[in-house]
Amino acid sequence: MKQTSRTEQRFTGHPVSPGIGIGPVHETAEPALAIAHKKIAAADAAAEMSRLEEALARSRHQLGKLKARLAGLPEHSQTEIAPLIDAYLHMLGPSRLMRGIKARVEDGLTAAEAAVHAESEAQAEAILALTGSDRQGRVRRAEEVREIGRRILRNLTRQPFRSFAGLPQGCILAASDLRPADAALIQPANFAGIITEEGGADGHTAVMLRALGLPAVLGAAGVLSAAAPGSLAIIDGETGTIIINPSPSSLEAAQQKLAALTRTRRALIRLQRLPAATRDGTAVNLQANLELPFELPMIAQSGAHGIGLLRSEFIFMNREILPDEDTQSEIYRNIVDAMDGDPVTIRVLDWGSDKEIEALSAYLPLHDEPNPALGLRGIRLLLRHPSLLETQLAAILRAGAAGPVRIMLPMVSLAAEILATREIYDRVWKRLKRKGVRMAAQKPPLGIMVETPAAALAARQLARHADFFAIGTNDLTMYTLAADRGLPVGSKLYDPLEPAVLGLIGMTTRAAAEAGITVSLCGELASREQAAPLLLGLGIRQLSMHGNAIPRVKRAIRAVSQAQCDEMAAAALMAPDADAVREIIRDA
Ligand code: PEP
Ligand code: MG
């Protein structure tokens, strides 16, 4: 029973897709699924299996049709959603899920509906129960499994899916929950925004809504009972605020914000085609960091000139066994292909204190090191287990046949680490050459992350052995200031703007310039637009950051001259602390 009123009411949910939506709220409900949990007789198993096969075929057919329908969506949405549909199709093939379901029917003599429900739930729960740092990835995979289970169930029971037909153009779509498959059916031009009472910011539904570019707020408890059908609502996909029955002043404020957002968006789109250069012509190469493959389409449209940091850890996470050379090579090749001739810098596995990788447990004899951040991490672990490094280097070299790649070593602090890696690298290159494996014509550059004070202080020596540098300010700050990067912001101990850190960045860029090698900066500092002029003053000409940040950083670079940047850097290096540096960059 709805308790609605005409006065303004505010709700907060997870902001999942930015933008302001204003329109009447209309609710859509998904018919409930009725599942009969019954057993079958052994003699009926074959008939039950053919019923299941028929539902699977229908599910495959629907997903095929859905994939074809993607052609009508903007290109970036297509590239985001298509891999998800492929993942669903894959699960409908000879997957662990299908084996489990069939075993429940054939051996457990369970009715197909009950088998699908029980197996997809069990596998989703098992995924969620895994440990490791990639919680977001686990939630997504569990959601995929449940989603495909529901689709098969609807086809088995012939119960209809949700329908969006008949909803008024320009309305705000409201639902208690939205499945990724529902989100894939939404025509973005028909709606002003989306709100739900359930669902989080990490799920596939959220990913899809972002891809569709619709303002969306998920998981706003209680919002449905407050909104009578057709009542006016405002949603702010950036703050997660929903206002039902807004007052005239709230409405006016939202309309102004919408107009301002539209202007900014248009200006950033225009910026995409303009070069990243200061007013007096210092060109800066802006690249993107890639942490998870689903970020790839967003990177493609961000205006990035390549991937400056591919954190390869995701390939090793959520697996019981380590990915072999073929598996890795295929993943790298797809990314290199997608970047269409722009370089991809692949960082070899950086296992460290803050990253848990189950499949690596056999390689971690010093698991209970007294201080894991100061122990066997990054390149140190790889050199302790050269087979890990050899497999990954071979996979990257093979992907190099598809386009330009660069190889980057994490957590280097000694020249000996580069030399030892080079020996292994040369050996792998020669072995693949001898076998006639397809690779790049030239051996790809081998560079290092500068993320320990030792690497920055010895940058001149290291530059003799490295083909390029990439400054990792996240770790460099942590190790320089002896302050964990996970410390709360308020603690003020961890701050990449501390002059000590800036000094090490300056030393590194000077050493790189003397040696004639390129140097980029790929820590989180790269995505702070206010810091961009300062970094240019410190000699940085290449930045790699989250793709979303590229337009704003470009705008900041285009607003200054190199002389201003140099002045700012000189003042910052002499400043007493990070707060004073903040004043300098703010006032510039
Ligand atoms: C860094 O340390 O700045 C960096 C880019 O590496 P990560 O954040 O993956 O440790
Ligand atoms: Mg690092």
Side-chain angles (χ1 to χ4, degrees), residues 309 311 347 350 355 449 451 472-475 485 522-523:
L309 168 64
R311 290 178 162 108
R347 181 176 73 186
D350 182 18
K355 296 162 185 160
M449 298 278 298
E451 50 185 347
T473 45
N474 305 340
D475 278 316
R485 57 202 263 191
C522 60

